[in-house]
Amino acid sequence: MYKILISDKLAEAGINYLNDQDGIHIHIQTGLKEDELCQIIGEYDALLIRSDTKVTEKVLKAATKLKVVGRAGIGVDNVDIAAATEQGIIVMNTPDANATTTAELAIAHMLSLSRHLPAADRSIRAGKWERSKLMGSEVAHKTLAILGFGTIGRIASQRGLGLGMEVIAYDPFVTPEIFERYGVQSVDLEELVKRADYLTLHCPLIEKTKGIIGSAQMAMMKKEAMIINCARGGLIDEAALYDALKNNRIAGAALDVFEHEPPVNSPLLELDNIVFTPHLGASTAEAQVAVSVEIARQAVIYLKTGEAVNALNLPRLSAEQLKKASQYMGLANILGKVLAGLATQPLERIEVALFGKAAEVDVRPVSIEALVGVLSGKVSTPVNRVNAEKIAKRQGISLVESKTEETHDFLSLVKVTGFFGNESVSLSGTLLGERRPRLVQVDQFEVEVVPEGTLIFTRHDDKPGVISSISSVLGESNINISRMEVGGANNELAMAVISISEPLNDDLLAQLCDIPAVHRAAQVIL
């Protein structure tokens, strides 16, 4: 008999599902403080929560029988995932259960903006009849531009196509085949904002997407364009949005999320050409039922079969397994991160090969860790060894694995190759003393690089003066070079891998690319 504690309110359908399962006993007790939860959590095999319960390290240490924490919803800020992993406890969520609800809210906002529905309602309530003032526009034959083409963006695209719209999207981590499958044209960010009649955001808030729609992007947009954000506050520069709306550089906007929630004293509240909702993306009866039933189903599956659906971490590995594979897994993770930094287009296929002594371990955890390195920070869901392959498939990335005891100049070698478009990048790494990772080959260029910190990779003409020019650009900006490796494959091309004291901004990286003999420069931060 498995015992499940439900410490936040779940929809009745989820409770009924659990009650119908053989071998499952549930107890519902909400509003528990940390000490109260610690006193009882040791009895339970699973804990199901929403956002109110705080699953702290203290709680997890007291959870001596706990096998899984299930979050009905997406956000897991209230769970100490690192502490859960340390205790061998799976943490899972329901990332897709409210995707339809969020996509439909974005479409509702689009239609509301197009027909001035909030203003029309206020007008009628004020005793007015302003039909000419409230002239709207059709969405049919207009361009719906989607920033972020994950699950929610894909659902929104199908709703837009159903309304007779032209749908375009920007997502640098989605392959052309995925766009083609959904009947959506893939464009770059500049074309996206220029062509948009309605720009709807559905991407994660990470460092690279913070303020992704700012004054520069709004300046490119049509005067008739409208912006909708039901994703995350912070994707839009709200000061720039205020300026664009106030000066009629764009026609309107709708926000369900904000930089600060609630948006008390925001100047946006003063404007008439913007509408608001209080973070209602998942607030439908259907979504509440869906997340409750889904997390109940996932918890039961894990308790009865060990299958971890939508897990955000890993169960505890045996000491023997960890000792045997962990160093190669760490090396593969590093190679994956470097690959993600060097790929110039969305990756379509990744091949992981183990040679020599590395082939003595199971290739699967090593290859999955390479995927973790590639995907980390590129998608909204935290990526780990449990969910990496599923996320890769969703992004259109296939995985090929192989191993052989043959050696390639090294006792052990891990090779990770990424394919995109008509190009590929191949990286080989080894362990010195079976523990110190080294990058030893990039494509045809042999190097010996300590893979840590900030690395600059250049491909350049193999001739005198190039390294001096690169060093001058860095030196003039007070960027210290701590290590440099230069590899030559033939008499024409060479590669430099330069370890520097701090990351370069876009302008400095562009200066390196502008050196006539430099064909390509990329930055990788490890």
Side-chain angles (χ1 to χ4, degrees), residues 199 351 400 481:
L199 173 63
E351 295 183 358
V400 179
I481 297 175

Side-chain angles (χ1 to χ4, degrees), residues 312-519:
L312 299 175
N313 63 345
L314 283 174
R316 185 170 49 236
L317 294 174
S318 71
E320 182 181 354
Q321 290 173 313
L322 183 61
K323 184 177 180 180
K324 196 170 184 179
S326 62
Q327 296 296 338
Y328 296 111
M329 292 162 65
L331 176 60
N333 182 281
I334 291 170
L335 295 177
K337 289 178 179 177
V338 175
L339 174 59
L342 297 184
T344 58
Q345 298 177 46
L347 288 160
E348 299 166 4
R349 186 171 86 254
I350 294 174
E351 295 183 358
V352 177
L354 308 184
F355 298 92
K357 193 171 183 180
E360 295 175 4
V361 306
D362 187 351
V363 68
R364 172 45 51 120
V366 178
S367 63
I368 293 300
E369 197 62 35
L371 289 181
V372 174
V374 167
L375 295 167
S376 292
K378 308 297 185 184
V379 294
S380 56
T381 304
V383 183
N384 54 51
R385 294 189 292 274
V386 172
N387 61 9
E389 188 172 20
K390 179 180 178 181
I391 293 172
K393 287 180 179 177
R394 192 174 69 204
Q395 300 300 110
I397 302 172
S398 61
L399 177 65
V400 179
E401 302 167 327
S402 64
K403 65 178 184 176
T404 175
E405 294 181 0
E406 295 178 6
T407 57
H408 285 207
D409 299 326
F410 296 90
L411 290 176
S412 64
L413 196 73
V414 177
K415 184 176 182 180
V416 178
T417 306
F419 297 85
F420 46 94
N422 296 320
E423 300 180 55
S424 65
V425 172
S426 181
L427 305 165
S428 295
T430 192
L431 297 173
L432 298 186
E434 297 188 2
R435 61 187 180 88
R436 298 190 302 276
R438 291 293 185 271
L439 175 63
V440 296
Q441 190 162 355
V442 181
D443 291 332
Q444 70 270 39
F445 301 99
E446 294 183 357
V447 293
E448 187 178 327
V449 175
V450 178
E452 62 184 18
T454 301
L455 301 176
I456 302 298
F457 291 76
T458 69
R459 295 202 183 198
H460 55 268
D461 294 335
D462 190 4
K463 63 181 184 180
V466 180
I467 298 300
S468 175
S469 298
I470 294 171
S471 300
S472 294
V473 170
L474 298 175
E476 289 170 3
S477 299
N478 294 317
I479 302 295
N480 187 49
I481 297 175
S482 54
R483 302 185 189 94
M484 179 184 293
E485 277 286 321
V486 180
N490 51 49
N491 293 326
E492 297 181 357
L493 286 177
M495 165 170 280
V497 185
I498 308 166
S499 179
I500 58 176
S501 56
E502 59 186 272
L504 303 185
N505 59 34
D506 291 342
D507 289 341
L508 273 178
L509 194 59
Q511 286 184 44
L512 292 181
C513 295
D514 288 341
I515 296 172
V518 173
H519 299 279

Side-chain angles (χ1 to χ4, degrees), residues 22 28 51 61 92 142 196 202 232 315 334 362 446 463 465:
D22 293 333
I28 302 172
S51 58
K61 285 185 175 180
M92 55 179 58
K142 299 296 197 310
H202 298 292
R232 290 289 184 269
I334 291 170
D362 187 351
E446 294 183 357
K463 63 181 184 180

